[in-house]
């Protein structure tokens, strides 16, 4: 099973982008999302090579929207990677923990 640590930073950001883009997370929408967060523009080749690698690892699925456009969605495994990382970060950040948790 692929973990958060098996992925490059860019691949982790792509999983986040797929989860964050609400309407048809297709390649150019993902590129726009990432371009807003990266100092340098995202190269199309880099984007699509990494999307292919994530699909090969069964972390995302792609569905053809038209002859030139694919829509990308997280698989259960891709969602698991994001959820496990979110849980790890929550555990490391006391202010992110729910108020009144298990403490008594």
């Amino acid at each position: 099973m692929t973990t958060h640590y098996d992925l490059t930073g860019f691949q982790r950001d792509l999983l986040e982008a797929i989860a964050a883009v609400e309407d048809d997370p297709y390649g150019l929408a993902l590129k726009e999302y990432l371009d807003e967060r990266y100092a340098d523009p995202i190269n199309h080749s880099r984007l699509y090579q990494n999307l292919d690698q994530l699909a090969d690892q069964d972390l995302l699925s792609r569905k053809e929207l038209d002859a030139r456009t694919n829509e990308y969605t997280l698989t259960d495994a891709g969602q698991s990677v994001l959820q496990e990382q979110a849980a790890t970060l929550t555990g490391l950040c006391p202010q992110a923990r729910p108020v009144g948790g298990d403490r008594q």
Side-chain angles (χ1 to χ4, degrees):
M1 178 178 144
T2 303
T3 69
H4 185 264
Y5 303 104
D6 296 323
L7 303 174
T8 66
F10 186 71
Q11 290 171 336
R12 293 189 296 260
D13 291 345
L14 267 175
L15 292 180
E16 177 189 320
I18 292 167
V21 173
E22 294 181 14
D23 297 325
D24 295 332
Y26 58 97
L28 291 178
L30 299 172
K31 182 182 179 319
E32 284 178 22
Y33 178 90
L34 293 171
D35 279 341
E36 291 177 6
R37 288 152 179 79
Y38 278 65
D40 296 320
I42 305 300
N43 176 299
H44 281 81
S45 176
R46 178 183 185 196
L47 175 73
Y48 290 105
Q49 286 175 0
N50 281 278
L51 286 168
D52 288 343
Q53 289 172 0
L54 292 170
D56 290 345
Q57 294 177 52
D58 194 37
L59 297 175
L60 62 85
S61 62
R62 69 184 145 228
K63 178 179 87 175
E64 191 174 287
L65 288 176
D66 61 41
R68 294 179 42 136
T69 308
N70 290 319
E71 175 183 31
Y72 299 91
T73 55
L74 295 177
T75 61
D76 289 344
Q79 289 177 352
S80 244
V81 167
L82 286 181
Q83 289 170 341
E84 288 174 20
Q85 181 60 13
T88 297
L89 292 174
T90 299
L92 296 173
C93 302
Q95 64 274 22
R97 293 183 192 134
V99 176
D102 294 326
R103 290 179 271 173
Q104 293 192 6

